Amino acid sequence: MASTTMVILRPPTVKSLFSLHKATTTTLQFHHIPYFSSSSTTRSPSRSISLSATSKPLMEALIFDCDGVILESEDLHRQAYNLAFAHFNVCCPPFSQPLNWDTDFYDVIQNQVGGGKPKMRWYFKENGWPSSTVFATPPENDTDREKLIDILQDWKTEKYKDIIKSGSVEPRPGVLRLMDEAKASGKKLAVCSAATKSSVVLCLENLIGMERFQSLDCFLAGDDVKEKKPDPSIYITASKKLGISEKACLVVEDSVIGLQAATKAGMACVITYTSSTEKQDFTDAIAKFPDLSDVRLKDLEELLENVVATT
């Protein structure tokens, strides 16, 4: 088997949300440590943990984000937003052409503002509320502004669903196997996403299958909490629903905004980054991977054990 590389990072601490501009300029230096498959007996002596056969496993729940973790969804969402902007002729002053979020911009905003409605709300506040076929002139009161956001989000969500239902989207490597390993070992399994519930349900039904989806011990979407990531509400709520201490939960995220939500909730987090998030500051993660293809449940358990042992 070809070797892969894992980056071991220090145990998580709570950090404030990075500014939008800082996220695009931060560069990091990591120390790369050779990573061995779960069948390997070679481990760093300083990292090994001895547990008795009767010890309760430290990891009791494995929690996945959806977008970026279960599927590479960033560009699919971007396409759907741009289709919505074009359909409703959304034009921000002083431009006369429909709004179009390019790849570089969306890489930034989708990792700093959680949820679709908050993304648009933030953008319009920063750049001016648009004219559209919904309102010929830019809406001036909160009621009309929220109506515009709701209409755009609903239409965008339907387009995104069409893309997912097309059958052209596959789950990221290793995700389904890790889910199956977690359930087989008796651990709780959850999915926590900032996206709209209907959108996440469709993704899970099509990408992980109905049987796995129905076997989840907890499923939360952006609709289920008042505050979106990086606020920790969704993970704190998941911990309560699972009946498990935050310290016994391990979260899998792909971006700094999800990492912050997890660590603020008191949970350890591993990162499986994408091309749009790989340069973000993942210092507070306990490890990061390019994907999960060679990561086993045993590896994640040992990572969490190491965090406890070194703190």
Side-chain angles (χ1 to χ4, degrees):
M1 175 187 295
S3 63
T4 188
T5 300
M6 176 179 71
V7 180
I8 300 291
L9 306 174
R10 72 179 183 223
T13 58
V14 175
K15 281 191 174 182
S16 61
L17 177 64
F18 292 118
S19 69
L20 198 60
H21 298 296
K22 183 177 179 181
T24 63
T25 59
T26 302
T27 56
L28 302 170
Q29 295 294 323
F30 294 108
H31 175 61
H32 286 72
I33 301 173
Y35 176 73
F36 301 92
S37 69
S38 59
S39 61
S40 172
T41 58
T42 307
R43 299 283 179 185
S44 169
S46 63
R47 285 287 188 177
S48 62
I49 303 294
S50 297
L51 295 176
S52 68
T54 57
S55 295
K56 185 178 181 180
L58 292 175
M59 187 203 299
E60 298 180 50
L62 185 60
I63 305 176
F64 288 85
D65 178 32
C66 185
D67 289 349
V69 172
I70 294 176
L71 74 159
E72 290 254 17
S73 56
E74 292 88 351
D75 201 57
L76 304 181
H77 282 291
R78 185 186 68 84
Q79 292 175 38
Y81 277 116
N82 287 337
L83 288 170
F85 297 150
H87 179 78
F88 290 100
N89 197 33
V90 175
C91 299
C92 291
F95 303 104
S96 59
Q97 296 298 314
L99 175 62
N100 188 286
W101 285 344
D102 64 25
T103 302
D104 290 342
F105 173 76
Y106 194 75
D107 282 349
V108 175
I109 191 173
Q110 69 96 12
N111 288 313
Q112 293 299 318
V113 184
K117 292 181 182 181
K119 283 182 177 64
M120 288 188 285
R121 193 176 297 115
W122 177 90
Y123 186 88
F124 295 146
K125 284 182 179 179
E126 291 293 317
N127 297 277
W129 286 86
S131 61
S132 65
T133 57
V134 180
F135 296 105
T137 58
E140 296 182 352
N141 59 70
D142 290 343
T143 299
D144 287 346
R145 288 172 175 176
E146 287 307 306
K147 180 179 179 181
L148 174 63
I149 292 289
D150 289 344
I151 290 173
L152 291 175
Q153 182 66 28
D154 289 346
W155 200 93
K156 172 263 174 185
T157 299
E158 291 306 311
K159 279 299 173 185
Y160 181 73
K161 289 179 180 180
D162 290 342
I163 297 172
I164 297 298
K165 288 188 289 187
S166 70
S168 61
V169 183
E170 297 288 337
R172 293 192 69 190
V175 169
L176 301 186
R177 176 182 44 73
L178 272 175
M179 286 184 168
D180 292 344
E181 287 182 4
K183 292 300 290 186
S185 70
K187 300 189 188 308
K188 300 290 186 180
L189 185 63
V191 171
C192 293
S193 171
T196 306
K197 176 166 283 188
S198 60
S199 171
V200 184
V201 168
L202 185 77
C203 287
L204 296 179
E205 289 178 347
N206 282 270
L207 295 174
I208 73 173
M210 284 298 299
E211 184 176 350
R212 289 188 186 89
F213 179 42
Q214 293 173 350
S215 72
L216 291 176
D217 298 288
C218 176
F219 164 57
L220 295 173
D223 314 55
D224 297 312
V225 291
K226 290 184 178 180
E227 300 295 331
K228 309 292 192 242
K229 301 175 186 178
D231 187 273
S233 298
I234 195 165
Y235 286 123
I236 293 173
T237 302
S239 174
K240 292 178 180 178
K241 284 184 173 292
L242 292 169
I244 293 174
S245 165
E246 292 90 345
K247 293 182 179 180
C249 300
L250 183 63
V251 175
V252 184
E253 278 280 1
D254 70 300
S255 69
V256 69
I257 194 171
L259 171 62
Q260 290 170 339
T263 56
K264 287 176 183 178
M267 298 180 181
C269 180
V270 298
I271 293 292
T272 171
Y273 56 84
T274 65
S275 59
S276 66
T277 65
E278 62 180 326
K279 293 182 180 179
Q280 292 183 358
D281 185 349
F282 294 131
T283 307
D284 290 342
I286 62 173
K288 71 172 187 175
F289 308 92
D291 61 52
L292 302 173
S293 56
D294 292 322
V295 181
R296 302 286 170 173
L297 184 66
K298 179 181 177 182
D299 303 318
L300 298 181
E301 290 177 306
E302 290 180 357
L303 282 168
L304 189 56
E305 291 165 7
N306 290 344
V307 170
V308 174
T310 56
T311 56

